[in-house]
Amino acid sequence: MQHRRISEVMTRRVVTVNRDSSFKEIVRLFDDNDITAVPVVDADGRPLGVVSEGDLLRKASSLPDPDGRWTRLRLLPPDEARAEAETAGAMMTSPAVTARPDWNIVETARTMDRHKVKRLPVVDETGRLVGLVSRRDLLRPFLRRDEAIGEEIRTDVLGRTLGLAPDSIRVSVHQGVVTLTGRVAARADIPVVERLCRSVDGVVAVHHTMEYEYDNLALDVEPPEGHPATAAGPRDVRHDGEGASARGGP
Protein backbone atom coordinates (compact mmCIF):
# COMPACT_ATOMS: atom_id res chain seq x y z
CA MET A 1 0.00 0.00 0.00
CA GLN A 2 1.69 3.17 -1.19
CA HIS A 3 0.72 6.69 -2.16
CA ARG A 4 1.12 7.55 -5.82
CA ARG A 5 4.52 8.91 -6.70
CA ILE A 6 5.13 12.23 -8.44
CA SER A 7 6.50 10.41 -11.48
CA GLU A 8 2.99 9.00 -12.00
CA VAL A 9 1.14 12.33 -12.00
CA MET A 10 3.63 14.99 -13.13
CA THR A 11 3.70 16.71 -16.52
CA ARG A 12 6.73 15.45 -18.42
CA ARG A 13 6.73 17.78 -21.42
CA VAL A 14 7.54 21.05 -19.73
CA VAL A 15 7.69 24.44 -21.43
CA THR A 16 10.76 26.30 -20.18
CA VAL A 17 12.51 29.63 -20.67
CA ASN A 18 16.03 30.89 -20.03
CA ARG A 19 17.28 33.90 -18.12
CA ASP A 20 17.17 36.13 -21.19
CA SER A 21 13.61 35.31 -22.29
CA SER A 22 11.63 38.53 -22.60
CA PHE A 23 8.38 39.52 -20.89
CA LYS A 24 6.45 39.28 -24.16
CA GLU A 25 7.96 35.91 -25.04
CA ILE A 26 6.73 34.51 -21.75
CA VAL A 27 3.24 35.99 -22.16
CA ARG A 28 3.06 34.41 -25.61
CA LEU A 29 4.15 31.02 -24.24
CA PHE A 30 1.47 31.19 -21.57
CA ASP A 31 -1.19 31.93 -24.17
CA ASP A 32 -0.01 29.40 -26.77
CA ASN A 33 0.34 26.52 -24.28
CA ASP A 34 -2.50 27.36 -21.87
CA ILE A 35 -0.16 27.40 -18.87
CA THR A 36 0.28 29.74 -15.91
CA ALA A 37 3.98 29.33 -15.08
CA VAL A 38 7.29 28.29 -16.61
CA PRO A 39 10.56 27.13 -15.03
CA VAL A 40 13.61 29.21 -15.84
CA VAL A 41 16.50 26.84 -16.59
CA ASP A 42 20.23 27.21 -17.19
CA ALA A 43 22.15 25.80 -20.16
CA ASP A 44 22.25 22.34 -18.53
CA GLY A 45 18.49 22.22 -17.92
CA ARG A 46 18.70 22.88 -14.17
CA PRO A 47 15.90 25.05 -12.73
CA LEU A 48 16.94 28.49 -11.53
CA GLY A 49 13.50 29.78 -10.64
CA VAL A 50 9.91 30.03 -11.82
CA VAL A 51 8.03 32.82 -13.59
CA SER A 52 4.28 32.72 -12.96
CA GLU A 53 1.28 34.79 -13.97
CA GLY A 54 1.61 36.53 -10.61
CA ASP A 55 5.10 37.70 -11.53
CA LEU A 56 3.84 39.07 -14.85
CA LEU A 57 0.83 40.75 -13.25
CA ARG A 58 3.17 42.61 -10.94
CA LYS A 59 4.28 44.57 -13.99
CA ALA A 60 0.71 45.13 -15.18
CA SER A 61 -0.34 46.44 -11.77
CA SER A 62 2.58 48.86 -11.74
CA LEU A 63 1.46 50.66 -14.91
CA PRO A 64 -0.21 54.11 -14.65
CA ASP A 65 -3.88 54.64 -15.46
CA PRO A 66 -4.78 55.56 -19.06
CA ASP A 67 -5.07 59.20 -17.99
CA GLY A 68 -1.50 59.12 -16.71
CA ARG A 69 -2.20 58.98 -12.98
CA TRP A 70 0.22 56.86 -10.94
CA THR A 71 -1.88 54.58 -8.74
CA ARG A 72 0.58 51.83 -7.90
CA LEU A 73 0.89 50.90 -4.26
CA ARG A 74 4.33 51.42 -2.84
CA LEU A 75 6.37 48.22 -3.26
CA LEU A 76 9.37 46.97 -1.36
CA PRO A 77 12.64 47.49 -3.30
CA PRO A 78 12.96 43.81 -4.41
CA ASP A 79 9.35 43.73 -5.65
CA GLU A 80 9.71 47.09 -7.34
CA ALA A 81 12.78 45.84 -9.20
CA ARG A 82 10.88 42.77 -10.37
CA ALA A 83 7.95 44.93 -11.48
CA GLU A 84 10.34 46.89 -13.67
CA ALA A 85 12.09 43.75 -14.98
CA GLU A 86 12.16 42.89 -18.67
CA THR A 87 13.60 39.36 -18.64
CA ALA A 88 12.80 36.06 -16.95
CA GLY A 89 16.00 36.14 -14.93
CA ALA A 90 14.98 39.39 -13.28
CA MET A 91 11.28 38.53 -12.87
CA MET A 92 11.51 34.95 -11.60
CA THR A 93 10.91 33.73 -8.09
CA SER A 94 14.13 32.06 -7.01
CA PRO A 95 15.70 29.85 -5.93
CA ALA A 96 13.41 27.21 -7.38
CA VAL A 97 11.76 24.90 -4.84
CA THR A 98 11.94 21.46 -6.45
CA ALA A 99 10.58 17.94 -6.00
CA ARG A 100 11.95 14.50 -6.87
CA PRO A 101 10.15 11.90 -9.04
CA ASP A 102 10.10 9.34 -6.20
CA TRP A 103 8.33 11.65 -3.74
CA ASN A 104 4.76 10.69 -2.93
CA ILE A 105 1.85 13.09 -3.26
CA VAL A 106 1.61 13.67 0.49
CA GLU A 107 5.14 14.96 1.01
CA THR A 108 4.85 16.99 -2.22
CA ALA A 109 1.61 18.62 -1.07
CA ARG A 110 3.25 19.46 2.26
CA THR A 111 6.22 21.04 0.47
CA MET A 112 3.90 23.18 -1.67
CA ASP A 113 1.97 24.29 1.41
CA ARG A 114 5.11 25.04 3.40
CA HIS A 115 6.60 27.20 0.65
CA LYS A 116 3.23 28.67 -0.47
CA VAL A 117 3.74 27.68 -4.12
CA LYS A 118 1.31 26.23 -6.67
CA ARG A 119 3.70 24.03 -8.60
CA LEU A 120 7.15 22.45 -8.30
CA PRO A 121 9.75 21.67 -10.95
CA VAL A 122 10.71 17.99 -10.67
CA VAL A 123 14.42 17.21 -10.96
CA ASP A 124 16.48 14.04 -11.22
CA GLU A 125 19.52 13.11 -9.13
CA THR A 126 21.71 15.49 -11.18
CA GLY A 127 19.35 18.43 -10.63
CA ARG A 128 18.10 18.49 -14.22
CA LEU A 129 14.46 19.20 -14.96
CA VAL A 130 12.39 16.09 -15.76
CA GLY A 131 8.85 17.33 -15.12
CA LEU A 132 6.52 19.75 -13.41
CA VAL A 133 3.91 18.95 -10.75
CA SER A 134 1.04 21.27 -9.93
CA ARG A 135 -1.75 21.36 -7.37
CA ARG A 136 -4.09 19.98 -10.02
CA ASP A 137 -1.78 17.01 -10.57
CA LEU A 138 -1.92 16.19 -6.85
CA LEU A 139 -5.72 16.05 -7.04
CA ARG A 140 -5.66 13.51 -9.87
CA PRO A 141 -5.77 10.45 -7.57
CA PHE A 142 -9.25 11.59 -6.49
CA LEU A 143 -10.41 10.67 -9.99
CA ARG A 144 -9.83 6.98 -9.20
CA ARG A 145 -12.85 4.74 -9.71
CA ASP A 146 -14.71 3.66 -6.59
CA GLU A 147 -14.18 0.03 -7.59
CA ALA A 148 -10.39 0.47 -7.61
CA ILE A 149 -10.42 2.17 -4.20
CA GLY A 150 -12.57 -0.58 -2.71
CA GLU A 151 -10.37 -3.32 -4.14
CA GLU A 152 -7.21 -1.72 -2.73
CA ILE A 153 -8.78 -1.43 0.72
CA ARG A 154 -9.97 -5.06 0.72
CA THR A 155 -6.76 -6.53 -0.67
CA ASP A 156 -3.95 -4.31 0.61
CA VAL A 157 -5.32 -2.73 3.79
CA LEU A 158 -7.63 -5.34 5.30
CA GLY A 159 -6.04 -8.46 3.85
CA ARG A 160 -2.32 -7.96 3.31
CA THR A 161 -1.58 -5.28 5.95
CA LEU A 162 -4.00 -6.16 8.75
CA GLY A 163 -4.47 -9.86 8.04
CA LEU A 164 -8.23 -9.74 8.60
CA ALA A 165 -10.58 -12.44 7.37
CA PRO A 166 -12.20 -11.48 4.04
CA ASP A 167 -15.71 -11.45 5.50
CA SER A 168 -14.90 -9.65 8.76
CA ILE A 169 -15.35 -6.13 7.36
CA ARG A 170 -17.53 -5.10 4.42
CA VAL A 171 -16.38 -2.20 2.26
CA SER A 172 -18.51 0.05 0.08
CA VAL A 173 -17.30 3.14 -1.78
CA HIS A 174 -19.38 5.90 -3.35
CA GLN A 175 -17.82 9.05 -4.83
CA GLY A 176 -14.65 8.32 -2.89
CA VAL A 177 -16.47 8.04 0.46
CA VAL A 178 -15.72 4.71 2.14
CA THR A 179 -18.20 2.97 4.46
CA LEU A 180 -16.99 0.09 6.64
CA THR A 181 -19.29 -2.35 8.42
CA GLY A 182 -18.40 -5.51 10.30
CA ARG A 183 -16.50 -6.57 13.39
CA VAL A 184 -12.93 -6.48 14.68
CA ALA A 185 -11.36 -8.17 17.69
CA ALA A 186 -10.55 -5.17 19.87
CA ARG A 187 -11.89 -1.66 20.16
CA ALA A 188 -8.40 -0.22 19.62
CA ASP A 189 -8.29 -1.87 16.18
CA ILE A 190 -11.04 0.40 14.86
CA PRO A 191 -9.04 3.66 14.57
CA VAL A 192 -6.17 1.70 13.00
CA VAL A 193 -8.45 0.32 10.29
CA GLU A 194 -9.97 3.74 9.73
CA ARG A 195 -6.59 5.52 9.52
CA LEU A 196 -5.16 3.03 7.02
CA CYS A 197 -8.26 3.29 4.84
CA ARG A 198 -7.98 7.10 4.85
CA SER A 199 -4.40 6.79 3.57
CA VAL A 200 -5.51 5.10 0.33
CA ASP A 201 -5.22 7.45 -2.64
CA GLY A 202 -8.59 8.72 -3.81
CA VAL A 203 -10.37 8.34 -0.46
CA VAL A 204 -12.40 11.45 0.40
CA ALA A 205 -13.74 10.30 3.77
CA VAL A 206 -14.24 7.15 5.85
CA HIS A 207 -17.40 6.28 7.83
CA HIS A 208 -17.92 3.13 9.84
CA THR A 209 -20.32 1.18 12.00
CA MET A 210 -17.75 -1.41 13.02
CA GLU A 211 -18.29 -3.46 16.17
CA TYR A 212 -15.68 -4.97 18.48
CA GLU A 213 -15.35 -8.17 20.49
CA TYR A 214 -13.90 -6.63 23.64
CA ASP A 215 -13.04 -3.16 24.89
CA ASN A 216 -9.28 -3.13 25.39
CA LEU A 217 -9.37 0.62 26.01
CA ALA A 218 -11.40 0.32 29.21
CA LEU A 219 -9.26 0.30 32.34
CA ASP A 220 -11.46 -2.21 34.20
CA VAL A 221 -11.64 -4.83 31.44
CA GLU A 222 -9.24 -7.77 31.26
CA PRO A 223 -8.60 -8.94 27.68
CA PRO A 224 -9.34 -12.62 27.04
CA GLU A 225 -6.45 -15.07 26.98
CA GLY A 226 -5.00 -15.93 23.59
CA HIS A 227 -6.26 -14.32 20.39
CA PRO A 228 -9.34 -12.24 21.25
CA ALA A 229 -11.27 -13.41 18.23
CA THR A 230 -10.98 -17.09 19.27
CA ALA A 231 -11.12 -16.81 23.06
CA ALA A 232 -13.64 -19.16 24.69
CA GLY A 233 -16.78 -17.94 26.37
CA PRO A 234 -19.46 -15.38 25.54
CA ARG A 235 -18.46 -11.83 24.64
CA ASP A 236 -20.17 -8.50 24.32
CA VAL A 237 -20.17 -7.05 20.84
CA ARG A 238 -20.39 -3.28 20.91
CA HIS A 239 -20.28 -0.38 18.51
CA ASP A 240 -17.30 1.88 19.01
CA GLY A 241 -18.20 4.61 21.44
CA GLU A 242 -21.49 2.98 22.57
CA GLY A 243 -22.13 1.55 26.01
CA ALA A 244 -25.00 -0.79 25.19
CA SER A 245 -24.36 -4.44 24.29
CA ALA A 246 -25.34 -5.64 20.88
CA ARG A 247 -25.55 -9.21 22.15
CA GLY A 248 -24.37 -11.30 25.04
CA GLY A 249 -24.00 -10.04 28.63
CA PRO A 250 -25.82 -7.21 30.41
Side-chain angles (χ1 to χ4, degrees):
M1 183 178 64
Q2 292 183 335
H3 288 296
R4 298 301 182 271
R5 297 193 179 278
I6 294 310
S7 58
E8 299 177 61
V9 300
M10 70 183 186
T11 300
R12 296 181 179 274
R13 298 182 63 181
V14 184
V15 178
T16 63
V17 297
N18 58 49
R19 282 181 174 274
D20 298 325
S21 297
S22 70
F23 182 95
K24 283 201 170 186
E25 285 180 293
I26 298 171
V27 173
R28 189 173 296 110
L29 284 173
F30 282 10
D31 186 59
D32 290 345
N33 295 279
D34 192 25
I35 56 178
T36 59
V38 287
V40 183
V41 298
D42 64 15
D44 295 319
R46 294 184 173 90
L48 303 170
V50 174
V51 174
S52 68
E53 283 181 329
D55 297 317
L56 300 184
L57 286 173
R58 186 180 291 109
K59 177 177 287 292
S61 66
S62 70
L63 298 175
D65 281 351
D67 59 4
R69 290 183 301 171
W70 196 262
T71 59
R72 183 179 70 186
L73 296 175
R74 185 170 182 81
L75 300 175
L76 295 174
D79 289 330
E80 186 168 1
R82 291 169 66 189
E84 298 293 336
E86 300 177 13
T87 63
M91 286 186 291
M92 67 183 181
T93 299
S94 63
V97 180
T98 61
R100 295 291 297 274
D102 59 346
W103 284 13
N104 64 48
I105 63 174
V106 174
E107 60 186 318
T108 306
R110 289 172 179 168
T111 299
M112 284 187 184
D113 184 62
R114 185 167 61 251
H115 292 278
K116 308 302 179 188
V117 295
K118 297 180 180 180
R119 80 279 300 165
L120 295 172
V122 183
V123 298
D124 62 16
E125 62 277 3
T126 68
R128 289 183 171 85
L129 185 73
V130 294
L132 187 74
V133 62
S134 67
R135 290 177 176 177
R136 181 179 300 179
D137 295 326
L138 299 186
L139 294 174
R140 196 171 297 161
F142 289 102
L143 298 176
R144 294 184 73 193
R145 294 182 299 109
D146 289 340
E147 294 80 5
I149 295 172
E151 181 61 24
E152 182 172 344
I153 289 175
R154 294 183 195 96
T155 303
D156 292 347
V157 177
L158 303 180
R160 186 173 296 119
T161 301
L162 296 175
L164 298 177
D167 59 349
S168 60
I169 297 178
R170 294 175 294 280
V171 181
S172 64
V173 186
H174 179 67
Q175 295 293 309
V177 177
V178 177
T179 301
L180 306 171
T181 57
R183 184 171 63 190
V184 294
R187 182 180 179 183
D189 294 337
I190 292 178
V192 175
V193 174
E194 185 178 6
R195 184 171 65 252
L196 289 175
C197 289
R198 287 183 184 277
S199 71
V200 172
D201 286 341
V203 170
V204 175
V206 176
H207 304 298
H208 76 84
T209 55
M210 287 184 287
E211 300 170 335
Y212 54 88
E213 294 281 350
Y214 75 94
D215 188 354
N216 60 341
L217 298 180
L219 297 178
D220 59 346
V221 173
E222 288 290 334
E225 295 181 1
H227 194 284
T230 58
R235 309 182 187 93
D236 288 344
V237 179
R238 303 178 180 179
H239 288 285
D240 185 29
E242 296 181 359
S245 297
R247 64 174 175 84

